[in-house]
Amino acid sequence: MVTLVVTGASAQGKPDTAPESTAQSPIELRISKQDGKAVCAPADLRLPANSNVTLNIVSQSDSPVILTSPNQFKNSQVLHHEGDFTHVASEDGWTVKQNGKAVLKLRTLAVGEQECGCASINNQSEPFRGKLVLTSPSS
C-alpha cells in the first residue's frame, strides 16, 4: 500500500524547498508615466535568487499598467498577493490599477538575468524594458 501525502505548498504548485534567504525589507517597485509611457523604477531590479522576497508596488500612473517578467510571476512562484492588481492570463505578469498599491510576495528564480518591464494599458506598443537580476544570496 502506498500513501501519498501532499503538503499545502506542493498541492498548489508552490516551492516546497526552503529558500536560500528571505529578504528582510520589502523592495519597492515604483511605476510612473513619462510622455504617455509607463516607466518602472528601478530599471534594474536586483533580488536574491531562490529567496522569498516582498515587492511593494506603487503606481502613480493615471492608467492601468502591466508588469511582466517571464516565469518569475507564474502562480508557482507567487506566495501571496494583495492590493490593487490582478494576474494576467499568461501568468507572466500583473495588471496594476491606476494609482494602485499592491504587495507581491514571491520565491525568486535561480541566479541569472531576464528581461522585465511594464507597459501602460493605453500604450502597450511601447513598453518600458528593464532587467531582473537574480544574484546569489551569499554574494
mmCIF file of all heavy atoms in Angstrom, residues 1 14 42 59 101 108-109 112-113:
data_model
loop_
_atom_site.group_PDB
_atom_site.id
_atom_site.type_symbol
_atom_site.label_atom_id
_atom_site.label_comp_id
_atom_site.label_asym_id
_atom_site.label_seq_id
_atom_site.Cartn_x
_atom_site.Cartn_y
_atom_site.Cartn_z
ATOM 1 N N MET A 1 0.842 -1.163 0.000
ATOM 2 C CA MET A 1 0.000 0.000 0.000
ATOM 3 C C MET A 1 0.894 1.234 0.000
ATOM 4 O O MET A 1 1.856 1.311 0.742
ATOM 5 C CB MET A 1 -0.894 -0.004 1.241
ATOM 6 C CG MET A 1 -1.692 1.269 1.393
ATOM 7 S SD MET A 1 -2.583 1.296 2.941
ATOM 8 C CE MET A 1 -4.215 1.186 2.327
ATOM 9 N N LYS A 14 3.397 25.491 -5.220
ATOM 10 C CA LYS A 14 4.307 26.461 -4.618
ATOM 11 C C LYS A 14 5.641 25.782 -4.314
ATOM 12 O O LYS A 14 5.710 24.568 -4.187
ATOM 13 C CB LYS A 14 3.714 27.029 -3.323
ATOM 14 C CG LYS A 14 2.351 27.658 -3.491
ATOM 15 C CD LYS A 14 2.392 28.855 -4.391
ATOM 16 C CE LYS A 14 1.018 29.488 -4.518
ATOM 17 N NZ LYS A 14 0.835 30.239 -5.699
ATOM 18 N N PRO A 42 13.142 50.534 -9.738
ATOM 19 C CA PRO A 42 14.381 50.656 -10.504
ATOM 20 C C PRO A 42 14.301 49.898 -11.825
ATOM 21 O O PRO A 42 13.587 48.909 -11.942
ATOM 22 C CB PRO A 42 15.428 50.044 -9.574
ATOM 23 C CG PRO A 42 14.670 49.061 -8.739
ATOM 24 C CD PRO A 42 13.282 49.627 -8.587
ATOM 25 N N SER A 59 1.993 52.521 -7.861
ATOM 26 C CA SER A 59 1.808 53.133 -9.173
ATOM 27 C C SER A 59 1.313 54.568 -9.029
ATOM 28 O O SER A 59 0.387 54.841 -8.268
ATOM 29 C CB SER A 59 0.799 52.338 -10.002
ATOM 30 O OG SER A 59 0.562 52.997 -11.234
ATOM 31 N N LYS A 101 -1.769 50.399 -5.359
ATOM 32 C CA LYS A 101 -0.733 49.916 -4.440
ATOM 33 C C LYS A 101 -0.980 48.438 -4.221
ATOM 34 O O LYS A 101 -2.122 48.012 -4.037
ATOM 35 C CB LYS A 101 -0.787 50.653 -3.104
ATOM 36 C CG LYS A 101 -0.412 52.113 -3.221
ATOM 37 C CD LYS A 101 -0.426 52.773 -1.877
ATOM 38 C CE LYS A 101 -0.046 54.242 -2.038
ATOM 39 N NZ LYS A 101 -0.049 54.955 -0.776
ATOM 40 N N THR A 108 11.920 33.874 -5.644
ATOM 41 C CA THR A 108 12.652 34.231 -6.859
ATOM 42 C C THR A 108 13.218 32.985 -7.531
ATOM 43 O O THR A 108 13.391 31.940 -6.912
ATOM 44 C CB THR A 108 13.788 35.227 -6.557
ATOM 45 O OG1 THR A 108 14.624 34.676 -5.550
ATOM 46 C CG2 THR A 108 13.233 36.570 -6.111
ATOM 47 N N LEU A 109 13.513 33.139 -8.799
ATOM 48 C CA LEU A 109 14.078 32.063 -9.602
ATOM 49 C C LEU A 109 15.565 31.904 -9.300
ATOM 50 O O LEU A 109 16.115 32.608 -8.455
ATOM 51 C CB LEU A 109 13.871 32.381 -11.084
ATOM 52 C CG LEU A 109 12.407 32.515 -11.523
ATOM 53 C CD1 LEU A 109 12.322 33.061 -12.935
ATOM 54 C CD2 LEU A 109 11.690 31.189 -11.404
ATOM 55 N N GLY A 112 20.578 34.485 -12.276
ATOM 56 C CA GLY A 112 20.557 34.809 -13.698
ATOM 57 C C GLY A 112 19.915 36.162 -13.940
ATOM 58 O O GLY A 112 19.584 36.892 -13.008
ATOM 59 N N GLU A 113 19.765 36.478 -15.216
ATOM 60 C CA GLU A 113 19.149 37.735 -15.621
ATOM 61 C C GLU A 113 18.059 37.443 -16.631
ATOM 62 O O GLU A 113 18.157 36.505 -17.412
ATOM 63 C CB GLU A 113 20.179 38.657 -16.283
ATOM 64 C CG GLU A 113 21.242 39.163 -15.366
ATOM 65 C CD GLU A 113 22.196 40.133 -16.076
ATOM 66 O OE1 GLU A 113 21.941 40.522 -17.232
ATOM 67 O OE2 GLU A 113 23.209 40.482 -15.454
#
